[in-house]
């Protein structure tokens, strides 16, 4: 009898996690798309690295109903706008959030250098705007509170997340269905070693060039320097960076924090002296790995 009970419990746990992958767009209605012979590429040598994204998706991870907090997070993996560190800064983050009762959607967004895109810099934001709308459109079925849906991004994904959080006044595409009646503004932002600015003095040059091109106009650089786009309606924000980050200077986060403070936006920021770049959950990195605990504490105390 005990054996059967254990088996039943195991089976119950194995089916409790809910994961589903949705296309962001109907196949024939992807905005800013053009036909090409380009193929999506996936390399999983060390991390799952996806490039040349052709069909953007939202991979949704739902906690069991009994533990759901109502919060949901749109996760934007990094990769310098050249690729996506899809598991390292995506699916493993979603699983961690699930363990805390938080729903998560990992955004497989189009990359600006793809031959299948007409206007490079628009595509990632178009996909992010659609992604957060999908979370809200399915809020009832997924036990999500529409007023507790935020965005989280790592590195260049942090730039995309902060773009979503500062450029929500106008959609980057024309609405195609009922999903596009949902709100685009995130209720909160989580920015992890983020690229924020396109200022050549502090930007990550690869992200800059991949998103805007090597010789963009000053107006375009200003438009996507998100510390310059903060207003009093920007969402509450959590920022994390390492002081010794040699890829994305910590000045990106410091400028964003200053802009948020200037506009009266509640912000929590943690600058660790060591950690370098791309540490994700930082498992095994001594006290740095506790940053995720700080995040959960912050999320629990959001109003």
């Amino acid at each position: 009898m005990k054996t059967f009970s254990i088996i039943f419990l195991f089976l119950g746990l194995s089916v409790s996690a809910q994961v589903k992958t949705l296309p962001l767009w109907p196949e024939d209605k992807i905005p800013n798309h053009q036909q090409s012979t380009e193929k999506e590429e996936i390399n999983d040598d060390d991390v799952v690295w996806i490039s040349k994204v052709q069909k953007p998706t939202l991979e949704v991870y739902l906690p069991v109903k009994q533990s759901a907090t109502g919060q949901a997070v749109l996760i934007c993996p990094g990769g310098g706008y050249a690729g996506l560190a899809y598991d390292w800064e995506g699916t493993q983050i979603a699983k961690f959030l699930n363990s805390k009762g938080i729903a998560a959607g990992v955004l497989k967004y189009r990359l600006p250098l793809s031959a299948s895109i007409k206007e490079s810099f628009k595509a990632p934001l178009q996909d992010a705007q659609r992604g957060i709308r999908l979370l809200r459109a399915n809020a009832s079925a997924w036990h999500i509170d529409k007023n507790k849906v935020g965005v989280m991004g790592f590195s260049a994904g942090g730039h995309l997340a902060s773009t979503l959080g500062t450029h929500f006044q106008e959609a980057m595409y024309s609405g195609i269905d009922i999903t596009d009646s949902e709100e685009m503004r995130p209720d909160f932002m989580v920015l992890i070693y983020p690229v924020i600015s396109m200022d050549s003095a502090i930007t990550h040059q690869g992200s800059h060039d991949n998103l805007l091109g090597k010789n963009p106009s000053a107006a375009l650089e200003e438009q996507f320097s998100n510390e310059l786009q903060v207003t009093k309606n920007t969402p509450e924000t959590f920022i994390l960076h390492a002081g010794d980050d040699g890829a994305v200077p910590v000045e990106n986060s410091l400028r964003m924090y200053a802009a948020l403070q200037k506009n009266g936006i509640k912000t929590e920021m943690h600058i660790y002296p060591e950690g370098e770049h791309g540490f994700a959950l930082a498992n095994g990195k001594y006290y740095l790995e506790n940053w995720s605990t700080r995040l959960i504490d912050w999320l629990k105390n959001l109003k």
Side-chain angles (χ1 to χ4, degrees):
M1 190 64 177
K2 291 182 179 179
T3 301
F4 285 116
S5 298
I6 293 171
I7 292 173
F8 179 79
L9 177 60
F10 175 77
L11 290 174
L13 289 172
S14 68
V15 299
S16 62
Q18 301 178 64
V19 182
K20 55 193 74 183
T21 302
L22 306 178
L24 277 184
W25 313 93
E27 189 167 354
D28 60 343
K29 294 184 179 180
I30 302 176
N32 193 21
H33 174 78
Q34 62 187 6
Q35 293 297 320
S36 79
T37 59
E38 186 177 66
K39 303 295 183 183
E40 186 168 304
E41 296 180 359
I42 302 177
N43 186 316
D44 60 357
D45 288 345
D46 295 315
V47 301
V48 175
W49 178 261
I50 304 178
S51 58
K52 300 178 181 178
V53 172
Q54 301 299 300
K55 294 181 179 180
T57 61
L58 187 69
E59 187 170 340
V60 180
Y61 288 74
L62 300 176
V64 294
K65 182 179 177 180
Q66 292 90 331
S67 66
T69 66
Q71 288 181 319
V73 180
L74 179 71
I75 302 173
C76 305
Y81 283 121
L84 304 176
Y86 192 74
D87 57 348
W88 185 243
E89 295 172 344
T91 56
Q92 77 157 344
I93 308 301
K95 293 171 185 176
F96 166 74
L97 292 172
N98 262 198
S99 73
K100 305 300 179 181
I102 301 168
V106 182
L107 187 68
K108 187 178 77 171
Y109 56 91
R110 289 171 293 162
L111 299 155
L113 296 181
S114 170
S116 300
I117 293 172
K118 295 177 182 177
E119 293 183 275
S120 61
F121 64 90
K122 288 186 177 181
L125 182 53
Q126 288 170 329
D127 290 349
Q129 289 181 339
R130 177 74 173 182
I132 198 165
R133 282 172 155 175
L134 269 177
L135 286 174
R136 287 194 168 113
N138 290 280
S140 178
W142 296 345
H143 309 294
I144 293 170
D145 183 333
K146 285 189 180 185
N147 298 311
K148 296 181 179 181
V149 181
V151 65
M152 180 179 192
F154 297 75
S155 193
H159 183 266
L160 179 55
S162 63
T163 305
L164 181 64
T166 55
H167 293 69
F168 52 82
Q169 300 88 346
E170 182 179 357
M172 294 291 285
Y173 63 94
S174 298
I176 59 174
D177 55 27
I178 191 64
T179 293
D180 292 323
S181 65
E182 297 290 345
E183 174 63 54
M184 294 183 300
R185 179 187 179 274
D187 293 304
F188 55 87
M189 292 193 294
V190 179
L191 309 177
I192 310 299
Y193 42 84
V195 179
I196 294 293
S197 184
M198 294 291 110
D199 181 346
S200 61
I202 67 166
T203 194
H204 176 253
Q205 201 63 45
S207 297
H208 171 284
D209 293 353
N210 291 334
L211 182 65
L212 305 182
K214 292 186 177 180
N215 297 294
S217 67
L220 195 60
E221 285 186 321
E222 180 177 342
Q223 181 183 355
F224 285 92
S225 291
N226 293 329
E227 80 278 17
L228 303 179
Q229 309 305 324
V230 174
T231 70
K232 296 188 184 302
N233 200 31
T234 299
E236 290 187 52
T237 303
F238 179 99
I239 303 174
L240 174 73
H241 220 119
D244 64 348
D245 191 325
V248 177
V250 69
E251 183 67 24
N252 282 267
S253 287
L254 296 176
R255 285 195 189 182
M256 189 63 169
Y257 180 80
L260 291 162
Q261 289 294 101
K262 182 179 179 180
N263 283 275
I265 307 303
K266 291 183 178 180
T267 306
E268 180 168 324
M269 181 168 68
H270 296 272
I271 306 295
Y272 286 80
E274 297 178 357
E276 299 182 334
H277 188 73
F279 49 77
L281 286 176
N283 292 329
K285 287 186 177 289
Y286 305 104
Y287 70 100
L288 179 59
E289 68 182 358
N290 291 326
W291 77 261
S292 56
T293 302
R294 307 284 80 73
L295 172 62
I296 298 303
D297 288 344
W298 180 79
L299 289 171
K300 285 180 178 178
N301 286 284
L302 285 176
K303 295 181 180 179

